[in-house]
Amino acid sequence: MNIVRWNPVGDMYSARNHINSLFEDFFYPMGRRESDSSLWGWNPVADAYDRVDHFVIKAELPGVDKKDIVIDVKDGVLTLKGERSYDNEVTDDKYYRKERSYGKFERSFALPVNVDADKIKAEYKDGVLEIEIPKPEEHKPKKIMIH
């Protein structure tokens, strides 16, 4: 099962960002300003794994309100999208370091053929979204009796 769609543009941006941060951290360890990544939003981390009768996707969405999360299933792809709002508690001139990302996000996961979208369940608790995707009958392991 393919879990994540490859995004070459995002990977190129991510590699460039990591290289830039290496140089910035070395030459200006305490003076790193807000990066350009805030313009691109952020991507929450997610785990995807296989259970006996269903697949599970767990995504960390700290600071995201439940009402700001949307899960869509279309053409064999589950799309998770939403937005983490910027909390403006501190004015910019008072920051020493600003590492948390804000903005819109979108993650896509390819689903096996014949998944019944009506049976997909999602639960959001303590900043973690857990999505259970039931396996179609042909994907469930079958035991063969030996006579």
Side-chain angles (χ1 to χ4, degrees), residues 9 11 13 18 28 33 35 37 47 52 62 72 76 84 87 93 97 122 134 147:
V9 174
D11 288 347
Y13 177 76
H18 287 302
Y28 306 102
R33 56 191 168 84
S35 69
S37 64
D47 294 335
V52 173
D72 291 325
R84 180 162 56 188
D87 58 350
D93 58 341
R97 190 167 189 93
H147 298 284

Side-chain angles (χ1 to χ4, degrees), residues 3-36:
I3 300 297
V4 180
R5 287 209 162 153
W6 180 50
N7 180 0
V9 174
D11 288 347
M12 288 188 314
Y13 177 76
S14 178
R16 186 184 118 221
N17 194 27
H18 287 302
I19 291 169
N20 286 343
S21 69
L22 285 173
F23 284 103
E24 288 176 7
D25 287 344
F26 180 76
F27 290 110
Y28 306 102
M30 294 304 289
R32 189 168 175 204
R33 56 191 168 84
E34 185 176 352
S35 69
D36 294 335

Side-chain angles (χ1 to χ4, degrees), residues 61-70 81-85 105 124 127:
L61 303 169
V64 178
D65 196 335
K66 182 179 177 178
K67 67 178 176 47
D68 294 330
I69 302 170
V70 177
K81 54 187 165 183
E83 183 172 1
R84 180 162 56 188
S85 301
F105 63 88
Y124 187 61

Side-chain angles (χ1 to χ4, degrees), residues 69-106:
I69 302 170
V70 177
I71 303 169
D72 291 325
V73 177
K74 182 179 177 185
D75 298 329
V77 177
L78 183 140
T79 303
L80 169 64
K81 54 187 165 183
E83 183 172 1
R84 180 162 56 188
S85 301
Y86 178 72
D87 58 350
N88 202 7
E89 295 175 8
V90 180
T91 59
D92 286 336
D93 58 341
K94 301 290 183 185
Y95 272 102
Y96 291 106
R97 190 167 189 93
K98 190 174 180 182
E99 296 181 350
R100 296 186 307 160
S101 298
Y102 300 93
K104 295 181 180 186
F105 63 88
E106 184 171 325

Side-chain angles (χ1 to χ4, degrees), residues 119-134:
K119 294 183 179 178
I120 295 175
K121 298 180 205 169
E123 182 180 345
Y124 187 61
K125 184 178 176 186
D126 298 330
V128 177
L129 176 67
E130 184 172 332
I131 303 169
E132 287 188 5
I133 305 152

